[in-house]
Amino acid sequence: MSVSKSFHLVLLTVFALIATAGLFVEKKQLHQFGEQQLAQYQQSSQLKTMDAANGKAFYRQLAAEYDLQFFQYIHTDDNELSYTHGSLDKQGNVITSWLNIDLDDTRTYPGGRLQVRLDTSQLIDAALNDFISWLLALIAAYVILAIIFSLMMRKQAVSIGYAASYIQNLSEHKYTALEQSKLGGQFKPLAQALDNSRAQFAQTTANYEKELVALNKEAYQDPITGLGTRQKFTEHLDTITNGKNSRIGILAIIKATELGSINQSQGRAAGDNYLAKIAEIISDCAVKYEHAQCYRISTGDFGVIISDITLKDSQQFLAAIKTHFNEYQQTINADSIGHTGLVPYQQGTEAVPLLTLADAAVSIAQTLGPNSFHIQEKLNGDELYGDTRWQEAIEDLIQRRALKFYVQPISPCRSEVQVYKELLARFYNSEGKFLPTATVIAMAERHGKSIELDKLVILSTIKMLLEDPSIEGAFGINISSASAMQPSFVAWLKDILGRQRHIAARLVFEVNEAGLQTNFKAAHSLVHEIHSVGSRVSVEHFGMGLTSFKFFKQVRPDFVKLDRSYAESIDVDTNNRFFVKMMIDIARRLAIRVIACGVERQEEKLALERLLVDGLQGYYIAQPQAFRNKGGETASN
């Protein structure tokens, strides 16, 4: 039962009890007045002086003085002198019957007996009127109290409703200021509690929002570049695919083609700086367009989506990126910075074909020279795209023998140690523009051209040394693992080197450890055959495989070039120092020279020298330079 109903029930009960008590009071007063009236009648002198011989005359005398309900005089001897008037019964309602009192008087005279009952109608009517007045006053008081209580309950309901609404708003994370006037009086503690809860919830929500922003940033913002992640890029593509309006725009894919080379030669920190700078350039060029969104969609790939832009206007965006890439290229002395492929789209375009077209555009841009871009409008079957374009580009450079050599020396740590200079091949297209080396090698392997490419490098090196006697010293040549594991290639190499043994003695063939470890038998055969013609073998990125020490015993190369991760912070990394020292000790017993790569700081150089490595290579030692003979001519093919 509600408070309001309970209050009214209690109030009705109380007023009923009060009314009942009032009725009893009226009855008590009625008895008092009746007794007074009866006493006054009994003391009347008429009762003593009247002639009681005639009953009717006696009645008239008493009736003139008193109101009689019942009169009866019974003469002792003569019934004719007897007289009766009125009745002992009195009609009335429940209340008057309950209030009724009997004022009887019976007395005996010498001639008869008198019985009288005084009439109490006036007394009862007066008592009843008093009770009705009292009852009306009670009803009026009840109505007033009920109205006051209802108003109070209404006000309380408004306050409770406001409190409930406020709590609901808190559950919906709405933190409007509390109106204290609506929760005053007895609700003041509730108002204070709600206000405190609001402040705490607001603070907690603010903290959660900060954490959510941080998590969202971590999940959807690339930590190195600050751009959106691949997931956000995919979501954006979905809006293009599922869109039903006629909006147009462009999708640009920018490939950071030098990332692998920079990571290998300068370290991952330099690679991260390289990516961050590319992201900065892309953002600066895209900020001019209102609906541009930039993303890092893979390790070295960036995506830019610009809505509401025509293909003609997008050329300014591409030109700006190329200009900034060219400027950045000069500052870091790299072969290139990145290549851009661009395709237009219309709302509703499928994502997969769009990305395929953009990837093809990037591949074409890579064949056009450093920092080039290419716009691909559509695929019509008559043009060369992606892999096909690369296949023809590689075949073309092999046919033209289009490569130039750069050289990076290795510094010996002791005078008795004989090391070599590493030759780095750079390939260029028909326009004389350099192509990204890592992409050329990867595409050559994909299209089965790696052996031809390695043969080109080897033959070009032998030709250069034969034609220019002024070139002195030993030189390292990189050959792919795919070629090194092929018996036919090894036989060809042995045959070529066997014809020029004086040149072969100056060559060191560098092969990646991971590739050699795929086939120990083939790796052992490679080293044996190369040694048989007087050349030497160097294993690069050494120490990353799980079987590196087994490799020492079975393959026995002449040099191992430690992976650059071992040189990184070796001055403070005790674990690196322990592993490097262990590898040096084992290699020394097997007469294998250990070369540390990726040396970028003086502290790293000094720490490695103390560990007694045989040679050092890295940007701190010497940067790659275009190969020149003593006459100052650039070595090229």
Side-chain angles (χ1 to χ4, degrees):
M1 187 179 293
S2 65
V3 175
S4 179
K5 291 182 178 180
S6 299
F7 175 80
H8 283 287
L9 180 61
V10 171
L11 195 62
L12 283 172
T13 303
V14 171
F15 273 82
L17 292 174
I18 294 174
T20 303
L23 191 59
F24 276 101
V25 170
E26 289 298 330
K27 185 173 183 178
K28 184 178 181 181
Q29 290 180 352
L30 179 63
H31 277 275
Q32 290 176 354
F33 291 147
E35 290 175 356
Q36 291 176 3
Q37 186 173 350
L38 181 59
Q40 182 180 1
Y41 165 78
Q42 291 173 344
Q43 296 174 3
S44 173
S45 58
Q46 291 182 1
L47 294 178
K48 298 177 181 180
T49 59
M50 280 187 184
D51 182 8
N54 188 337
K56 188 172 183 177
F58 198 4
Y59 167 76
R60 289 175 180 171
Q61 291 178 3
L62 288 177
E65 186 70 25
Y66 300 100
D67 293 328
L68 301 177
Q69 176 186 343
F70 177 75
F71 176 89
Q72 185 180 54
Y73 179 75
I74 300 175
H75 196 274
T76 304
D77 299 323
D78 189 358
N79 285 336
E80 291 183 1
L81 296 177
S82 299
Y83 182 76
T84 301
H85 179 80
S87 174
L88 291 175
D89 296 331
K90 187 175 184 179
Q91 299 298 323
N93 54 38
V94 176
I95 296 178
T96 55
S97 298
W98 187 75
L99 288 175
N100 185 43
I101 58 173
D102 295 330
L103 302 180
D104 297 332
D105 180 71
T106 302
R107 59 184 64 226
T108 303
Y109 289 93
R113 185 173 68 87
L114 175 65
Q115 182 179 359
V116 175
R117 175 173 289 181
L118 298 179
D119 186 12
T120 58
S121 298
Q122 293 182 356
L123 291 177
I124 292 175
D125 289 342
L128 186 59
N129 289 334
D130 289 343
F131 175 73
I132 291 174
S133 299
W134 168 250
L135 188 61
L136 290 175
L138 282 178
I139 293 174
Y142 170 79
V143 171
I144 293 173
L145 288 176
I147 292 174
I148 293 174
F149 178 77
S150 297
L151 292 175
M152 292 175 63
M153 290 300 296
R154 182 180 179 83
K155 182 179 180 181
Q156 189 179 56
V158 171
S159 298
I160 293 174
Y162 175 74
S165 175
Y166 195 82
I167 293 173
Q168 180 65 31
N169 288 338
L170 290 180
S171 67
E172 296 173 358
H173 305 290
K174 299 176 182 178
Y175 305 115
T176 55
L178 185 71
E179 295 185 38
Q180 298 286 348
S181 60
K182 291 187 178 182
L183 291 176
Q186 71 272 25
F187 291 103
K188 190 172 183 180
L190 176 61
Q192 185 64 39
L194 288 176
D195 203 35
N196 292 338
S197 298
R198 177 187 65 83
Q200 292 177 6
F201 286 158
Q203 182 62 43
T204 302
T205 302
N207 293 337
Y208 285 155
E209 288 176 351
K210 289 180 181 178
E211 293 177 6
L212 183 61
V213 169
L215 290 174
N216 187 69
K217 183 176 181 181
E218 183 177 346
Y220 299 115
Q221 186 175 19
D222 180 64
I224 295 175
T225 64
L227 303 181
T229 60
R230 182 180 182 85
Q231 183 173 352
K232 297 298 288 184
F233 175 73
T234 303
E235 291 176 0
H236 197 158
L237 281 182
D238 288 341
T239 63
I240 294 175
T241 301
N242 301 324
K244 297 182 180 179
N245 54 37
S246 58
R247 294 183 68 181
I248 61 172
I250 60 98
L251 166 64
I253 301 296
I254 298 97
K255 185 177 291 293
T257 47
E258 294 301 305
L259 178 61
S261 176
I262 291 176
N263 279 339
Q264 181 177 351
S265 61
Q266 302 179 44
R268 294 192 178 278
D272 290 345
N273 293 335
Y274 162 71
L275 292 175
K277 181 62 178 179
I278 290 180
E280 180 184 342
I281 292 173
I282 295 173
S283 298
D284 289 344
C285 294
V287 74
K288 302 175 183 177
Y289 303 92
E290 181 180 358
H291 303 293
Q293 297 290 333
C294 305
Y295 308 92
R296 184 186 178 193
I297 57 179
S298 67
T299 302
D301 291 348
F302 297 85
V304 180
I305 300 176
I306 306 178
S307 304
D308 303 329
I309 183 175
T310 63
L311 199 59
K312 181 178 179 181
D313 292 336
S314 66
Q315 294 182 4
Q316 299 177 1
F317 171 70
L318 296 175
I321 289 181
K322 178 176 174 58
T323 299
H324 284 83
F325 278 1
N326 290 338
E327 293 173 355
Y328 181 42
Q329 179 183 350
Q330 299 302 317
T331 63
I332 65 172
N333 194 25
D335 291 337
S336 68
I337 297 301
H339 295 83
T340 307
L342 185 145
V343 293
Y345 73 82
Q346 187 171 2
Q347 209 77 14
T349 305
E350 291 294 329
V352 174
L354 188 65
L355 288 173
T356 301
L357 206 60
D359 185 63
V362 174
S363 297
I364 294 172
Q366 288 179 293
T367 66
L368 301 178
N371 309 322
S372 296
F373 61 83
H374 180 74
I375 299 175
Q376 193 65 55
E377 294 191 45
K378 60 182 179 179
L379 192 65
N380 56 25
D382 297 329
E383 298 166 297
L384 300 175
Y385 294 92
D387 285 352
T388 305
R389 181 64 177 260
W390 264 112
Q391 182 177 1
E392 292 208 351
I394 292 171
E395 290 175 352
D396 175 67
L397 70 86
I398 291 175
Q399 183 178 3
R400 291 186 297 105
R401 306 173 68 85
L403 81 160
K404 293 182 180 180
F405 285 115
Y406 281 66
V407 64
Q408 186 178 27
I410 297 172
S411 174
C413 292
R414 297 188 305 279
S415 58
E416 71 274 12
V417 175
Q418 294 182 356
V419 289
Y420 58 93
K421 300 174 184 178
E422 183 178 357
L423 282 179
L424 305 170
R426 295 291 183 264
F427 306 96
Y428 55 90
N429 61 13
S430 58
E431 298 177 2
K433 297 179 179 180
F434 282 113
L435 302 175
T437 305
T439 306
V440 170
I441 294 173
M443 290 296 177
E445 290 184 357
R446 179 183 297 182
H447 295 289
K449 300 292 182 179
S450 59
I451 290 180
E452 294 182 44
L453 197 65
D454 286 332
K455 287 181 178 180
L456 172 63
V457 174
I458 294 170
L459 291 174
S460 298
T461 303
I462 294 174
K463 179 183 178 182
M464 178 184 68
L465 296 178
L466 284 173
E467 293 179 351
D468 191 347
S470 65
I471 301 175
E472 299 176 350
F475 294 90
I477 304 173
N478 285 280
I479 57 175
S480 68
S481 301
S483 299
M485 295 294 99
Q486 295 295 324
S488 59
F489 174 80
V490 176
W492 173 87
L493 181 60
K494 179 181 178 181
D495 181 61
I496 291 295
L497 295 177
R499 299 176 189 176
Q500 306 290 341
R501 286 184 176 269
H502 65 292
I503 297 296
R506 300 170 59 187
L507 298 181
V508 179
F509 293 93
E510 295 190 356
V511 190
N512 193 299
E513 179 199 28
L516 293 178
Q517 287 188 356
T518 59
N519 190 332
F520 276 112
K521 184 177 180 180
H524 181 271
S525 175
L526 170 71
V527 175
H528 175 75
E529 298 298 337
I530 289 178
H531 281 171
S532 68
V533 293
S535 294
R536 290 170 291 178
V537 176
S538 178
V539 180
E540 59 179 353
H541 300 295
F542 188 81
M544 300 304 292
L546 297 177
T547 56
S548 294
F549 295 110
K550 182 180 179 182
F551 187 88
F552 269 130
K553 181 178 179 181
Q554 294 187 2
V555 178
R556 294 291 183 93
D558 301 280
F559 300 91
V560 291
K561 299 178 75 172
L562 300 177
D563 187 80
R564 63 177 304 105
S565 61
Y566 287 103
E568 185 175 357
S569 302
I570 195 170
D571 52 313
V572 295
D573 193 329
T574 56
N575 291 329
N576 269 4
R577 287 203 299 271
F578 172 78
F579 283 113
V580 171
K581 178 62 177 174
M582 183 169 55
M583 284 188 280
I584 291 173
D585 289 342
I586 296 174
R588 190 67 49 78
R589 295 176 185 177
L590 300 172
I592 298 173
R593 301 297 186 186
V594 179
I595 298 170
C597 300
V599 182
E600 300 180 9
R601 298 186 296 114
Q602 182 181 21
E603 293 80 5
E604 295 171 348
K605 174 180 179 295
L606 295 176
L608 289 164
E609 287 177 340
R610 284 193 291 270
L611 291 172
L612 302 179
V613 296
D614 297 295
L616 298 170
Q617 186 179 24
Y619 268 48
Y620 182 77
I621 306 302
Q623 297 187 18
Q625 300 290 334
F627 187 85
R628 299 178 184 275
N629 58 23
K630 289 187 177 180
E633 297 178 354
T634 302
S636 61
N637 210 54

